[in-house]
Coordinates of all heavy atoms in Angstrom, one line a residue:
N1 N 8.5 -17.3 -15.8 CA 7.4 -18.3 -16.2 C 7.1 -18.1 -17.7 O 7.5 -17.0 -18.3 CB 6.1 -18.0 -15.4 CG 6.2 -18.5 -14.0 OD1 7.1 -19.4 -13.7 ND2 5.4 -18.0 -13.1
S2 N 6.3 -18.9 -18.2 CA 5.8 -18.7 -19.5 C 4.8 -17.4 -19.4 O 4.2 -17.3 -18.4 CB 4.9 -19.9 -20.0 OG 5.7 -21.0 -20.1
P3 N 4.9 -16.5 -20.4 CA 4.0 -15.3 -20.2 C 2.5 -15.6 -20.0 O 2.1 -16.7 -20.4 CB 4.2 -14.7 -21.6 CG 5.6 -15.1 -22.0 CD 5.7 -16.5 -21.6
L4 N 1.9 -14.9 -19.3 CA 0.5 -15.0 -18.9 C -0.3 -15.1 -20.1 O -0.2 -14.4 -21.0 CB 0.1 -13.9 -18.0 CG -1.4 -14.0 -17.4 CD1 -1.3 -13.4 -16.0 CD2 -2.3 -13.3 -18.2
A5 N -1.2 -16.2 -20.0 CA -2.2 -16.4 -21.2 C -3.6 -16.1 -20.8 O -4.4 -15.7 -21.6 CB -2.1 -17.8 -21.7
Y6 N -3.9 -16.3 -19.5 CA -5.3 -16.0 -18.9 C -5.1 -15.3 -17.6 O -4.3 -15.7 -16.8 CB -6.0 -17.4 -18.8 CG -6.1 -18.1 -20.1 CD1 -5.4 -19.2 -20.4 CD2 -7.1 -17.7 -21.1 CE1 -5.5 -19.8 -21.6 CE2 -7.2 -18.4 -22.3 CZ -6.4 -19.4 -22.5 OH -6.6 -20.1 -23.8
P7 N -6.0 -14.4 -17.4 CA -7.1 -13.9 -18.2 C -6.5 -13.2 -19.5 O -5.5 -12.5 -19.4 CB -7.9 -12.8 -17.4 CG -6.9 -12.4 -16.3 CD -6.0 -13.6 -16.0
R8 N -7.2 -13.3 -20.6 CA -6.7 -12.8 -21.8 C -6.4 -11.3 -21.8 O -5.4 -11.0 -22.5 CB -7.6 -13.2 -23.0 CG -7.0 -13.1 -24.3 CD -8.0 -13.0 -25.5 NE -7.3 -13.1 -26.8 CZ -6.6 -12.1 -27.3 NH1 -6.6 -10.9 -26.6 NH2 -5.9 -12.2 -28.4
Y9 N -7.1 -10.6 -21.2 CA -6.9 -9.1 -21.3 C -5.7 -8.6 -20.6 O -5.3 -7.5 -20.8 CB -8.2 -8.4 -20.7 CG -8.2 -8.2 -19.2 CD1 -7.9 -7.1 -18.5 CD2 -8.6 -9.3 -18.3 CE1 -7.9 -6.9 -17.2 CE2 -8.6 -9.2 -16.9 CZ -8.3 -8.0 -16.4 OH -8.3 -7.9 -15.1
L10 N -4.9 -9.5 -19.9 CA -3.6 -9.2 -19.4 C -2.5 -9.8 -20.1 O -1.3 -9.6 -19.7 CB -3.6 -9.7 -17.9 CG -4.6 -9.0 -16.9 CD1 -4.4 -9.6 -15.5 CD2 -4.3 -7.5 -16.8
R11 N -2.7 -10.3 -21.3 CA -1.6 -10.8 -22.1 C -0.7 -9.7 -22.5 O -1.2 -8.5 -22.7 CB -2.1 -11.5 -23.4 CG -2.7 -12.9 -23.1 CD -3.2 -13.5 -24.3 NE -3.9 -14.7 -24.2 CZ -4.4 -15.5 -25.0 NH1 -4.3 -15.2 -26.3 NH2 -5.1 -16.6 -24.7
L12 N 0.6 -9.9 -22.8 CA 1.5 -8.9 -23.3 C 1.0 -8.3 -24.6 O 1.3 -7.1 -24.9 CB 2.9 -9.6 -23.5 CG 3.7 -9.8 -22.2 CD1 4.9 -10.6 -22.5 CD2 4.1 -8.5 -21.5
S13 N 0.5 -9.1 -25.4 CA 0.0 -8.7 -26.8 C -1.0 -7.6 -26.7 O -1.2 -6.8 -27.7 CB -0.5 -9.9 -27.6 OG -1.6 -10.5 -27.0
V14 N -1.8 -7.5 -25.6 CA -2.8 -6.5 -25.4 C -2.1 -5.1 -25.2 O -2.7 -4.0 -25.6 CB -3.7 -6.8 -24.3 CG1 -4.7 -5.7 -23.9 CG2 -4.4 -8.1 -24.5
H15 N -1.0 -5.0 -24.6 CA -0.3 -3.7 -24.4 C 0.0 -3.0 -25.7 O 0.5 -3.5 -26.6 CB 1.0 -3.9 -23.7 CG 1.5 -2.7 -22.9 ND1 1.8 -1.6 -23.5 CD2 1.6 -2.6 -21.6 CE1 2.2 -0.7 -22.6 NE2 2.1 -1.3 -21.4
P16 N -0.5 -1.7 -25.8 CA -0.4 -1.0 -27.0 C 1.0 -0.4 -27.3 O 1.3 0.1 -28.5 CB -1.4 0.2 -26.8 CG -1.5 0.4 -25.4 CD -1.3 -1.0 -24.8
D17 N 2.0 -0.5 -26.4 CA 3.3 0.1 -26.6 C 4.2 -0.9 -27.4 O 5.1 -1.5 -26.9 CB 3.9 0.5 -25.3 CG 5.2 1.4 -25.5 OD1 5.7 1.5 -26.7 OD2 5.7 2.0 -24.5
V18 N 3.8 -1.0 -28.7 CA 4.5 -2.0 -29.6 C 6.0 -1.7 -29.7 O 6.9 -2.6 -29.7 CB 3.8 -2.0 -31.0 CG1 4.6 -2.9 -31.9 CG2 2.4 -2.5 -30.8
E19 N 6.3 -0.4 -29.8 CA 7.7 0.0 -30.0 C 8.5 -0.4 -28.8 O 9.7 -1.0 -28.9 CB 7.8 1.5 -30.1 CG 9.3 2.0 -30.4 CD 9.3 3.5 -30.6 OE1 8.3 4.1 -30.6 OE2 10.5 4.1 -30.6
Y20 N 8.0 -0.2 -27.6 CA 8.8 -0.6 -26.3 C 8.9 -2.2 -26.3 O 10.0 -2.7 -25.9 CB 8.2 -0.1 -25.1 CG 8.9 -0.6 -23.9 CD1 10.1 0.1 -23.5 CD2 8.6 -1.7 -23.1 CE1 10.8 -0.3 -22.4 CE2 9.2 -2.1 -22.0 CZ 10.4 -1.5 -21.7 OH 11.1 -1.9 -20.6
K21 N 7.9 -2.9 -26.7 CA 8.0 -4.4 -26.7 C 9.1 -4.9 -27.6 O 9.8 -5.8 -27.2 CB 6.6 -5.0 -27.0 CG 5.6 -4.9 -25.9 CD 4.3 -5.6 -26.3 CE 3.4 -4.9 -27.2 NZ 2.1 -5.6 -27.3
E22 N 9.3 -4.3 -28.7 CA 10.4 -4.7 -29.6 C 11.8 -4.4 -29.0 O 12.7 -5.2 -29.1 CB 10.2 -4.0 -31.0 CG 11.3 -4.4 -32.0 CD 11.4 -5.9 -32.3 OE1 10.3 -6.6 -32.1 OE2 12.4 -6.4 -32.6
L23 N 11.9 -3.2 -28.4 CA 13.1 -2.8 -27.7 C 13.4 -3.8 -26.6 O 14.6 -4.2 -26.5 CB 13.0 -1.4 -27.2 CG 13.0 -0.3 -28.2 CD1 12.7 1.1 -27.5 CD2 14.3 -0.2 -28.9
L24 N 12.4 -4.2 -25.8 CA 12.6 -5.1 -24.7 C 13.0 -6.5 -25.2 O 13.9 -7.1 -24.7 CB 11.3 -5.2 -23.9 CG 11.4 -6.1 -22.7 CD1 12.6 -5.7 -21.7 CD2 10.1 -6.2 -21.9
A25 N 12.3 -7.0 -26.3 CA 12.7 -8.2 -26.9 C 14.2 -8.2 -27.3 O 14.9 -9.2 -27.0 CB 11.8 -8.5 -28.1
N26 N 14.6 -7.1 -28.0 CA 16.0 -7.1 -28.4 C 16.9 -7.1 -27.2 O 18.0 -7.7 -27.2 CB 16.3 -5.8 -29.2 CG 15.5 -5.8 -30.5 OD1 15.2 -6.9 -31.0 ND2 15.2 -4.7 -31.1
Y27 N 16.6 -6.4 -26.1 CA 17.4 -6.3 -24.9 C 17.5 -7.7 -24.3 O 18.6 -8.1 -23.8 CB 16.8 -5.3 -23.9 CG 17.5 -5.2 -22.6 CD1 18.6 -4.5 -22.5 CD2 17.0 -5.9 -21.5 CE1 19.3 -4.4 -21.3 CE2 17.6 -5.8 -20.2 CZ 18.8 -5.0 -20.1 OH 19.4 -5.0 -18.9
I28 N 16.4 -8.4 -24.2 CA 16.5 -9.7 -23.6 C 17.3 -10.7 -24.4 O 18.1 -11.5 -23.8 CB 15.0 -10.3 -23.5 CG1 14.2 -9.4 -22.5 CG2 15.0 -11.8 -23.0 CD1 14.6 -9.5 -21.0
E29 N 17.1 -10.6 -25.7 CA 18.0 -11.4 -26.5 C 19.5 -11.2 -26.4 O 20.3 -12.1 -26.4 CB 17.6 -11.2 -28.0 CG 16.3 -11.9 -28.4 CD 16.0 -11.7 -29.9 OE1 16.4 -10.6 -30.4 OE2 15.5 -12.7 -30.5
E30 N 19.8 -9.9 -26.2 CA 21.2 -9.5 -26.1 C 21.9 -9.9 -24.8 O 23.0 -10.2 -24.7 CB 21.4 -8.0 -26.4 CG 22.8 -7.5 -26.4 CD 22.9 -6.0 -26.7 OE1 21.8 -5.4 -27.2 OE2 24.0 -5.4 -26.6
H31 N 21.0 -9.8 -23.7 CA 21.7 -9.8 -22.4 C 21.4 -11.1 -21.5 O 22.0 -11.3 -20.6 CB 21.3 -8.6 -21.5 CG 21.8 -7.3 -22.0 ND1 21.2 -6.5 -23.0 CD2 23.0 -6.7 -21.7 CE1 21.9 -5.4 -23.2 NE2 23.0 -5.5 -22.5
F32 N 20.4 -11.9 -22.0 CA 19.9 -13.0 -21.1 C 19.8 -14.2 -22.0 O 19.6 -14.2 -23.2 CB 18.7 -12.7 -20.4 CG 18.8 -11.4 -19.5 CD1 18.3 -10.2 -19.9 CD2 19.4 -11.6 -18.2 CE1 18.5 -9.1 -19.1 CE2 19.5 -10.5 -17.4 CZ 19.1 -9.2 -17.9
S33 N 19.9 -15.4 -21.3 CA 19.8 -16.7 -22.0 C 18.5 -16.9 -22.6 O 17.4 -16.9 -21.9 CB 20.2 -17.8 -21.0 OG 19.9 -19.1 -21.6
L34 N 18.5 -17.2 -23.9 CA 17.1 -17.5 -24.6 C 16.6 -18.9 -24.2 O 15.5 -19.1 -24.5 CB 17.4 -17.5 -26.1 CG 17.4 -16.1 -26.6 CD1 17.6 -16.1 -28.1 CD2 16.1 -15.3 -26.3
I35 N 17.5 -19.7 -23.5 CA 17.0 -21.0 -23.0 C 15.8 -20.7 -22.1 O 14.8 -21.5 -22.0 CB 18.1 -21.7 -22.3 CG1 19.2 -22.1 -23.2 CG2 17.5 -23.0 -21.6 CD1 20.4 -22.7 -22.5
H36 N 15.9 -19.6 -21.3 CA 14.8 -19.4 -20.3 C 13.9 -18.2 -20.8 O 12.9 -18.0 -20.0 CB 15.5 -19.0 -19.0 CG 16.4 -20.0 -18.5 ND1 16.0 -21.2 -18.0 CD2 17.8 -20.0 -18.3 CE1 17.0 -22.0 -17.7 NE2 18.1 -21.3 -17.9
C37 N 14.2 -17.6 -21.8 CA 13.5 -16.3 -22.2 C 12.9 -16.4 -23.6 O 12.3 -15.4 -24.1 CB 14.4 -15.1 -22.1 SG 15.1 -14.8 -20.5
S38 N 12.9 -17.6 -24.3 CA 12.4 -17.6 -25.7 C 10.9 -17.4 -25.8 O 10.5 -16.7 -26.7 CB 12.8 -18.9 -26.3 OG 12.2 -20.0 -25.5
S39 N 10.1 -17.9 -24.8 CA 8.7 -17.7 -24.9 C 8.4 -16.2 -24.6 O 7.4 -15.7 -25.2 CB 7.9 -18.6 -24.0 OG 8.3 -18.4 -22.6
L40 N 9.1 -15.6 -23.7 CA 8.9 -14.1 -23.4 C 9.2 -13.3 -24.7 O 8.4 -12.4 -25.1 CB 9.9 -13.7 -22.3 CG 10.0 -12.2 -22.1 CD1 8.6 -11.6 -21.8 CD2 10.9 -11.9 -20.9
V41 N 10.4 -13.6 -25.3 CA 10.7 -12.9 -26.6 C 9.6 -13.0 -27.6 O 9.2 -12.1 -28.3 CB 12.1 -13.3 -27.1 CG1 12.3 -12.7 -28.5 CG2 13.2 -12.8 -26.1
H42 N 9.2 -14.2 -27.7 CA 8.1 -14.6 -28.8 C 6.8 -13.8 -28.4 O 6.2 -13.2 -29.4 CB 7.8 -16.0 -28.7 CG 6.5 -16.4 -29.5 ND1 6.5 -16.7 -30.8 CD2 5.2 -16.6 -29.1 CE1 5.3 -16.9 -31.3 NE2 4.5 -16.8 -30.2
S43 N 6.4 -13.7 -27.2 CA 5.2 -13.1 -26.8 C 5.4 -11.6 -27.0 O 4.4 -10.9 -27.3 CB 4.8 -13.3 -25.3 OG 4.5 -14.7 -25.2
L44 N 6.5 -11.0 -26.8 CA 6.7 -9.6 -27.0 C 6.6 -9.2 -28.4 O 6.2 -8.0 -28.8 CB 8.1 -9.1 -26.5 CG 8.3 -9.1 -24.9 CD1 9.7 -9.0 -24.6 CD2 7.5 -8.0 -24.3

């Protein structure tokens, strides 16, 4: 789905592990279709 926006305190942006979020974004871009994952990569 589109990444969760509400309740706000559960958004991906709230998670403090910024380094892992970037690693995950790179992994998703490399291995899965961005047609379905672009909003996830953006939110990460």
Side-chain angles (χ1 to χ4, degrees):
N1 286 336
S2 298
L4 184 142
Y6 300 101
R8 193 195 188 286
Y9 81 103
L10 291 179
R11 289 181 184 180
L12 285 168
S13 61
V14 173
H15 202 297
D17 195 346
V18 176
E19 181 179 356
Y20 180 80
K21 284 190 282 188
E22 181 59 30
L23 289 172
L24 179 59
N26 293 337
Y27 176 80
I28 294 293
E29 282 184 325
E30 183 177 349
H31 292 90
F32 300 98
S33 170
L34 281 181
I35 295 174
H36 305 292
C37 300
S38 59
S39 62
L40 169 56
V41 171
H42 170 86
S43 294
L44 289 168

